[in-house]
């Protein structure tokens, strides 16, 4: 098994390679979720309607994969990029403070090490040092032991969860605001099931575990809107 | 020996409750000044606490740190040139669940630290009848809401405009000038955050920043368990001062008698007439901890609703035994507040017994004027045993004295054992000559050089030291052992290794774990709906607690204090 304490201690390359894989997986998550939203969310589709796409990407990804086509060359390996692309393709703004902002900041630090791993064989440059807020002098290389590797995985996992929660709330909130949800499960089921399938993590297995029970949790907000209460801005 | 001068005045149950209120932060200003007897070194410590410069006040639970801070607070309020703020961080453990749930837990914690200071400033201004400037009035309100929501575990992080430590210093300077004072002193009590290394590090980073020409911060910390942030250097960043009344001091008994003289009303003092040696006996058994002393005196004079009234050696011994057990319980409770160190605590029980036994065997062969109360352990002491001794210092079981050198024979670390434990375990080896007066004479007329010397190997075996490893839960998914204490994921199945919240576990704890008498615990279980520590904390008006036979206001307060201390540092 790779990524064990002895394996990481024995080989500095191992940690860097694992870091690449970790950030790459996170980037794939961001592309998948945004591509999915472009496909199923009318608001996101409308917002990103003016984005240009090559014919080659259309042929390769097909009509249901247009989101992937748009995002395939997009990087999600810095906090700034994640914020900008989220805004660009969904119109949602990630808050500048709070749990998600803190998670993004932590992920940014992980990406500094990833950047050094990709471009400089793990050696941190002046820019990396500055971004990490360090005051080191001289040349320094990143070497991940078990603690650092697990820390990087934890940070990335925290970000994905926080971002997932944030996006889910924003999407469902905007659907309610736009009256895309009627409050009647039979009519909303198909649309809501798509959102549930996209955001729910079976591995975490948190409750509620079905689209229906998750829908019940937001039904009061839908009914409030139907009763004429003010909707979100 | 001077007799105890009785205080005058009748007593009722509510004033009785306060007379034996052991926690300084719960006393009113008048009660604090009337009932606190100045300890040796208090004047010097108070002068430094009220003065400029960062200071750290260290001492075990009940040693008088809060009393010093509260006195300093009230004296500074009365001064015309210093604006004080008293802040108590005992509830820091309530924020521990956020470290399991939020990526920005450290920022939340920092804002809680700062909000408490802002609130403390406004409390001082109100005590002085100062009108708050508009900006501060607004900040008070948001700080108050933030503190309440965080300490009660609100799911949504309350909003407060984030204030950095350096911004806080600027604001403090502005408010100090606004109120016409020349300096600002922050008295940060219970600042140890001893059970969360993240909180400790963050606190000392904030503490470092709280200094300027006008602003000085002082913090109260515990010995043995306080670790500082990497950038915080004791001596350089702050002066360390110890507050622990030394029972070896020649004035010690006089000071403790003064504590009783100030506190006890005439009716209770009358009970002690002719039995003053019992007061000295309990004073020594309290090992320099005023809170413990008051607790034992309360038992002796029958403040407990179900106690017989006439003071006797038997009652005094029972009080000392109960207190010894309470000290041991504080030590043992560390395995719940620091679950990773459970194995260390288990070996610590053996270590304490071994040290006491070693002293007992030494005393068996020595006359009454050469009885030992300390043990000298040769260096080097292993990190594991050093860690355990640190925990024992925190619990107050031992007190670390100055090391000394025996030339070629090496350097020794000296630890004095809590006198209540020595008495309870008969380690003074007095045989049938164990009247209260005899024990007082032995403890006050000792030869200071009577100290048994030993090595670590004379107290614990190598196997026991080998057992001092961190207690890490296996993977809840596949049962594999953790690769190391730093592993966050199982190296076999990849499952996340989540740690349960210590605070939430403490709240769910059954009341059996509290340092209360068996009778009271049984009463709570059978005569009320109180089953867990959380139930006690939620019973703010003591409605359920007072249903128990023999529980009046004194015991109700004591039960609440026990629960609050159980979930605090």
């Amino acid at each position: 098994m790779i990524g064990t304490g002895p394996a990481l201690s024995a080989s500095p390359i191992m940690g860097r390679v694992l870091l690449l894989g970790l950030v790459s997986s996170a980037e794939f998550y961001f592309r998948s979720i945004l591509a999915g939203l472009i496909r199923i969310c009318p608001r996101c589709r409308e917002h990103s309607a003016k984005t240009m796409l090559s014919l080659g990407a259309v042929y390769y990804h097909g009509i249901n994969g247009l989101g992937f086509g748009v995002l395939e060359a997009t990087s999600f390996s810095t906090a700034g990029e994640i914020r900008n692309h989220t805004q660009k393709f969904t119109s949602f703004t990630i808050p500048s403070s709070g749990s998600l902002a803190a998670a993004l900041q932590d992920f940014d630090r992980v990406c500094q090490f990833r950047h050094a791993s990709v471009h400089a064989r793990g050696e941190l440059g002046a820019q990396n040092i500055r971004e990490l807020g360090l005051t080191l002098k001289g040349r320094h290389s990143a070497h991940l032991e078990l603690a650092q590797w697990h820390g990087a995985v934890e940070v990335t996992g925290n970000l994905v969860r926080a971002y997932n929660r944030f996006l889910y709330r924003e999407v469902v909130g905007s659907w309610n605001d736009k009256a895309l949800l009627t409050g009647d499960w039979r009519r909303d089921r198909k649309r809501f099931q798509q959102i549930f399938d996209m955001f729910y993590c079976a591995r975490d297995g948190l409750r509620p575990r079905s689209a229906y029970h998750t829908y019940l949790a937001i039904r009061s907000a839908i009914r409030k809107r139907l009763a004429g209460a003010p909707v979100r801005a | 020996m001077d007799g105890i001068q009785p205080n005058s005045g009748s007593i009722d149950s509510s004033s009785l409750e306060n007379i034996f209120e052991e926690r300084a932060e719960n006393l009113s200003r008048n009660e604090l000044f009337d009932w606190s007897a100045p300890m040796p070194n208090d004047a010097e410590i108070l002068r430094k606490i009220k003065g400029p410069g960062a200071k750290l006040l260290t001492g075990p639970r009940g040693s008088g740190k809060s009393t010093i801070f509260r006195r300093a607070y009230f004296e500074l309020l009365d001064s015309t040139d210093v604006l004080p703020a008293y802040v108590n961080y005992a509830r820091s453990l309530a924020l521990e669940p956020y470290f399991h749930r939020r990526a920005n837990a450290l920022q939340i914690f920092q804002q809680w630290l700062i909000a408490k200071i802002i609130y403390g400033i406004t409390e001082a201004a109100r005590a002085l009848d100062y009108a708050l400037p508009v900006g501060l009035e607004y900040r008070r309100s948001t700080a108050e809401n933030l503190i309440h929501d965080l300490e009660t575990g609100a799911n949504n992080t309350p909003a407060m405009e984030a204030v950095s430590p350096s911004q806080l210093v600027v604001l403090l300077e502005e408010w100090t000038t606004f109120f016409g004072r020349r300096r600002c002193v922050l008295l940060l009590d219970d600042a140890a955050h001893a059970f969360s290394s993240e909180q400790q590090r963050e606190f000392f980073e904030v503490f470092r920043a709280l200094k300027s020409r006008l602003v000085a911060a002082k913090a109260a910390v515990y010995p043995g368990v306080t670790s500082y942030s990497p950038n915080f250097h004791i001596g350089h960043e702050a002066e360390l001062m110890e507050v622990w009344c030394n029972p070896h001091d020649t004035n010690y008994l006089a000071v403790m008698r003064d504590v009783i003289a100030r506190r006890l009303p005439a009716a209770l003092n009358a009970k002690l007439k002719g039995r003053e040696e019992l007061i000295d006996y309990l004073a020594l058994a309290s090992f320099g901890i005023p809170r413990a002393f008051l607790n034992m005196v309360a038992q002796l004079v029958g403040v407990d609703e179900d106690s017989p009234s006439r003071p006797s050696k038997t009652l005094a011994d029972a009080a000392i035994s109960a207190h010894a057990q309470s000290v041991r319980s504080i030590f043992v409770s560390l395995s719940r507040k620091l679950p990773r160190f459970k194995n260390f605590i288990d070996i610590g029980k053996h270590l304490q017994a071994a040290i006491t036994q070693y002293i007992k065997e030494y005393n068996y062969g020595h006359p009454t004027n050469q009885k030992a109360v300390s043990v000298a352990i040769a260096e080097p002491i292993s990190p594991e045993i050093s860690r355990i001794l640190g925990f024992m210092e925190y619990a107050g079981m031992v007190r670390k004295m100055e090391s000394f050198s025996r030339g070629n024979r090496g350097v020794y670390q000296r630890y004095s054992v809590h006198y209540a434990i020595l008495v309870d375990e008969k380690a003074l080896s007095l045989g049938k000559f164990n009247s209260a007066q005899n024990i007082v004479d032995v403890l006050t007329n000792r030869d200071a050089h009577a100290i048994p010397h030993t090595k670590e190997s004379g107290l614990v075996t190598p196997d026991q030291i080998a057992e001092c490893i961190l207690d890490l839960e296996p993977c809840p998914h596949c049962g594999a052992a953790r690769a190391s204490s730093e592993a966050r994921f199982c190296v076999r199945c990849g499952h996340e290794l989540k740690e349960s919240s210590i605070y939430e576990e403490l709240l769910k704890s059954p009341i059996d774990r509290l340092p209360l008498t068996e009778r009271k615990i049984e009463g709570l279980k059978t005569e009320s709906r109180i089953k867990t520590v959380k139930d006690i904390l939620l019973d703010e008006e003591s409605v359920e607690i007072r249903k128990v036979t023999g529980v009046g206001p004194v015991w109700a307060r004591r039960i609440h204090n026990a629960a609050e201390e159980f979930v605090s540092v």
Side-chain angles (χ1 to χ4, degrees), chain A residues 152-166:
Chain A
V153 174
E154 190 179 56
V155 159
T156 308
N158 284 348
L159 171 63
V160 166
R161 285 194 182 105
Y163 184 85
N164 206 57
R165 269 195 307 272
F166 160 76

Side-chain angles (χ1 to χ4, degrees), chain A residues 1 98-99 102 150 154 161, chain B residues 103-104 487-489 491-492 496:
Chain A
M1 173 161 295
S99 196
H150 279 195
E154 190 179 56
R161 285 194 182 105
Chain B
N104 62 336
R488 317 271 179 95
F489 299 88
V491 292
R492 189 159 84 185
E496 203 166 352

Side-chain angles (χ1 to χ4, degrees), chain B residues 122-198:
Chain B
T122 63
E123 287 292 280
R126 285 196 175 192
L128 292 166
D129 271 330
Y130 288 166
L132 299 181
V134 170
L136 182 52
E137 182 69 60
Y138 170 72
R139 286 186 191 277
R140 174 194 163 91
S141 161
T142 51
E144 192 174 7
N145 291 338
L146 179 83
I147 292 164
H148 174 267
D149 286 351
L150 290 180
E151 291 182 5
T152 53
N155 278 330
N156 295 320
T157 316
M160 181 176 100
E161 180 195 328
V163 177
S164 69
S166 53
Q167 286 172 327
L168 177 64
V169 170
V170 171
L171 289 169
L172 289 170
E173 289 181 343
E174 283 175 11
W175 296 329
T176 302
T177 307
F178 179 86
F179 291 129
R181 303 235 161 173
R182 284 181 25 237
R183 287 190 298 116
C184 177
V185 167
L186 305 175
L187 302 161
L188 311 178
D189 202 358
D190 266 322
H193 310 111
F195 305 112
S196 165
S197 53
E198 292 154 306

Side-chain angles (χ1 to χ4, degrees), chain A residues 22 31 36 40 42 45 81 92 111 123 165 197-198 200:
Chain A
L22 176 69
R31 280 194 203 98
I40 68 169
R45 203 161 45 239
E81 285 168 346
F92 301 133
C111 290
E123 190 168 304
R165 269 195 307 272
D197 289 343
M198 201 164 74
Y200 183 73

Side-chain angles (χ1 to χ4, degrees), chain B residues 67-83:
Chain B
T67 301
I68 296 266
F69 270 22
R70 295 287 287 171
R71 284 189 74 105
Y73 174 67
F74 289 124
E75 288 178 14
L76 286 173
L77 282 178
D78 289 342
S79 77
T80 52
D81 62 337
V82 181
L83 177 68

